[in-house]
Amino acid sequence: GESVGLHLPTLSVQEGDNSIINCAYSNSASDYFIWYKQESGKGPQFIIDIRSNMDKRQGQRVTVLLNKTVKHLSLQIAATQPGDSAVYFCAENEVNTGFQKLVFGTGTRLLVSP
Amino acid sequence: DAGVIQSPRHEVTEMGQEVTLRCKPISGHDYLFWYRQTMMRGLELLIYFNNNVPIDDSGMPEDRFSAKMPNASFSTLKIQPSEPRDSAVYFCASTLILTYGYTFGSGTRLTVV
């Protein structure tokens, strides 16, 4: 039979619009968060990170917001371009049983129309 | 630096055969990770090494999977015997500091028929 895969939420925007991608993380002890971009056929690529002692960090055209109260992370992309089309993953550095490791969310697909 | 280098890029094998995936991390990086990506389960951490020593292998699915890091510049992930459900893209990543962005390789797409 046909297998059912992960249903990736999709965000469709027009070129030039601002995009906001959201992520809920699971572990209140997580202290470090990263956003990755994955283009088709490639490995995840680091975009921006934020530590738990901050609530906002800005990069070039990207901003990450962290709300620890509700365990929510967002990635804002300004003036979205067709080259931004990709799957975006948030990742949390989860501290568990003495080990630290990056745990990835399921991802959001961003489609940018010219 | 050429980044994290994985080989082969694509591997097609028959069920029951042994498969070996290879990874060369970025020079100087102390941590190396093996991830598997599937449509069903997304990106899963299989195992990671620090200074060539396996630290957490709780993600390794079963005894058919094994990973080694004989030196700081080389790691292998072996599946023996392979099964169709092992079909996935396997990524290797490395980093200097654990709480820092990992650099991923381009992945090996494994198809077991």
Side-chain angles (χ1 to χ4, degrees):
Chain A
E2 190 175 57
S3 61
V4 177
L6 287 172
H7 172 65
L8 279 185
T10 299
L11 175 64
S12 296
V13 301
Q14 293 287 118
E15 182 177 2
D17 286 352
N18 295 332
S19 303
I20 299 176
I21 301 172
N22 296 303
C23 174
Y25 64 92
S26 56
N27 190 338
S28 56
S30 292
D31 57 2
Y32 176 63
F33 305 87
I34 308 177
W35 280 99
Y36 281 90
K37 171 186 180 184
Q38 187 176 24
E39 297 173 280
S40 182
K42 297 183 179 180
Q45 178 186 6
F46 175 92
I47 303 174
I48 191 168
D49 60 359
I50 189 167
R51 300 193 185 277
S52 58
N53 60 352
M54 304 171 68
D55 52 21
K56 180 179 180 179
R57 188 158 189 231
Q58 287 184 290
Q60 187 176 22
R61 282 202 307 120
V62 294
T63 301
V64 55
L65 299 178
L66 174 62
N67 185 331
K68 294 181 288 293
T69 303
V70 295
K71 292 189 285 187
H72 183 268
L73 202 62
S74 69
L75 177 71
Q76 300 178 1
I77 304 174
T80 315
Q81 302 167 1
D84 295 327
S85 294
V87 177
Y88 290 80
F89 294 95
C90 66
E92 59 182 299
N93 184 51
E94 191 175 270
V95 181
N96 220 345
T97 62
F99 298 131
Q100 295 187 62
K101 58 186 180 185
L102 271 187
V103 176
F104 284 78
T106 53
T108 297
R109 188 180 306 279
L110 176 65
L111 295 175
V112 183
S113 305
Chain B
D1 199 318
V4 176
I5 300 172
Q6 291 186 247
S7 64
R9 284 284 277 135
H10 302 274
E11 177 80 42
V12 180
T13 192
E14 291 185 346
M15 182 174 63
Q17 296 298 305
E18 178 180 294
V19 175
T20 300
L21 311 182
R22 296 173 175 80
C23 175
K24 176 178 166 48
I26 290 176
S27 177
H29 280 190
D30 294 333
Y31 292 88
L32 183 141
F33 308 83
W34 283 100
Y35 279 84
R36 177 172 68 175
Q37 187 173 39
T38 62
M39 286 298 296
M40 289 292 291
R41 302 172 68 92
L43 266 167
E44 303 174 275
L45 176 66
L46 300 177
I47 185 171
Y48 81 88
F49 296 82
N50 178 218
N51 291 323
N52 314 337
V53 176
I55 301 300
D56 182 0
D57 65 355
S58 59
M60 295 286 264
E62 47 199 272
D63 292 346
R64 297 184 298 107
F65 285 69
S66 63
K68 293 182 180 179
M69 192 164 184
N71 57 62
S73 59
F74 183 66
S75 177
T76 58
L77 178 68
K78 187 174 293 187
I79 308 172
Q80 165 64 17
S82 57
E83 296 181 3
R85 60 192 168 119
D86 301 330
S87 297
V89 181
Y90 290 80
F91 288 103
C92 177
S94 71
T95 190
L96 178 59
I97 302 170
L98 202 53
T99 51
Y100 198 72
Y102 302 174
T103 301
F104 281 79
S106 298
T108 295
R109 180 175 295 278
L110 173 66
T111 304
V112 184
V113 298

